[in-house]
Amino acid sequence: RRYAKDGTCSTTPTVSTGTWVVTVNNIDVEVSDVSVDQTDDCPDFIGFIGETGSAYNAGLSEVKFKVERLTSAANWSFTFDVTGTNVIVSSYSIAGDGTLPSPSSGTTNNGTISVNANNTHLIFTLQIVNKPGQQLNVKFEVSNAIANSCPETNFDFNNVTHIINAMPAIGSFQ
């Protein structure tokens, strides 16, 4: 007797008859910090405006994370989430080693990304809003990774944290 379940990752297969082919499409995803400084980092000052009054802008810091698919050769998808006290994503862009994923850019702290099978890894470039006087612990986490209806079962390396040290809490320049 052979037990199988076509087209799904069912844990309750049924008796199979006739000729059959087994294809395994499990998926394992790992996340890593690929920023220039991969530990504690001073803030960048992208878009910084030190003028007095309402024009003051503390600027943005750029952080990069890599999402790598270790197994499966199928189209895949996952959900990402950027968290941390006072962490605000101004924008993000995604590049890969194959067809651009969908979506390939955005302005939110979370979302679901659909990826073509020809991508084995993606680089997320996040622009984080600087907060004067506050350290930012930017946590990047991937969940719900799936390929051919088979969900990821190993979650050992699905999140990483990048620290942006506190920038000085200085007032406007005069």
Side-chain angles (χ1 to χ4, degrees), residues 25-107:
N25 284 305
N26 73 321
I27 185 167
D28 188 16
V29 174
E30 287 189 0
V31 176
S32 58
D33 185 348
V34 293
S35 302
V36 174
D37 294 316
Q38 295 176 3
T39 55
D40 290 5
D41 192 10
C42 290
D44 299 324
F45 292 100
I46 300 167
F48 176 79
I49 301 172
E51 296 176 7
T52 59
S54 63
Y56 178 79
N57 181 342
L60 306 168
S61 289
E62 189 171 273
V63 181
K64 293 185 178 188
F65 296 106
K66 181 177 184 179
V67 178
E68 187 170 13
R69 180 195 71 207
L70 302 178
T71 56
S72 178
N75 290 346
W76 53 298
S77 66
F78 61 90
T79 301
F80 77 94
D81 197 21
V82 181
T83 59
T85 303
N86 297 317
V87 172
I88 299 171
V89 174
S90 173
S91 66
Y92 71 84
S93 61
I94 308 171
D97 58 346
T99 306
L100 280 177
S102 177
S104 60
S105 63
T107 58

Side-chain angles (χ1 to χ4, degrees), residues 1-173:
R1 299 178 94 172
R2 295 174 296 207
Y3 288 85
K5 182 75 174 166
D6 287 338
T8 69
C9 289
S10 174
T11 57
T12 55
T14 57
V15 174
S16 174
T17 59
T19 304
W20 52 290
V21 175
V22 175
T23 303
V24 177
N25 284 305
N26 73 321
I27 185 167
D28 188 16
V29 174
E30 287 189 0
V31 176
S32 58
D33 185 348
V34 293
S35 302
V36 174
D37 294 316
Q38 295 176 3
T39 55
D40 290 5
D41 192 10
C42 290
D44 299 324
F45 292 100
I46 300 167
F48 176 79
I49 301 172
E51 296 176 7
T52 59
S54 63
Y56 178 79
N57 181 342
L60 306 168
S61 289
E62 189 171 273
V63 181
K64 293 185 178 188
F65 296 106
K66 181 177 184 179
V67 178
E68 187 170 13
R69 180 195 71 207
L70 302 178
T71 56
S72 178
N75 290 346
W76 53 298
S77 66
F78 61 90
T79 301
F80 77 94
D81 197 21
V82 181
T83 59
T85 303
N86 297 317
V87 172
I88 299 171
V89 174
S90 173
S91 66
Y92 71 84
S93 61
I94 308 171
D97 58 346
T99 306
L100 280 177
S102 177
S104 60
S105 63
T107 58
T108 65
N109 283 39
N110 54 51
T112 299
I113 307 297
S114 297
V115 189
N116 191 288
N118 64 6
N119 278 292
T120 58
H121 72 270
L122 301 174
I123 303 293
F124 273 73
T125 301
L126 304 169
Q127 297 214 331
I128 306 296
V129 175
N130 289 330
K131 296 289 184 182
Q134 296 179 24
Q135 175 178 297
L136 299 175
N137 298 321
V138 182
K139 182 179 179 183
F140 185 85
E141 184 169 19
V142 167
S143 60
N144 302 319
I146 192 165
N148 275 359
S149 301
C150 297
E152 179 180 28
T153 57
N154 178 11
F155 309 106
D156 292 342
F157 302 100
N158 284 29
N159 67 71
V160 65
T161 298
H162 182 93
I163 297 171
I164 301 172
N165 291 320
M167 66 183 286
I170 56 175
S172 302
F173 299 124

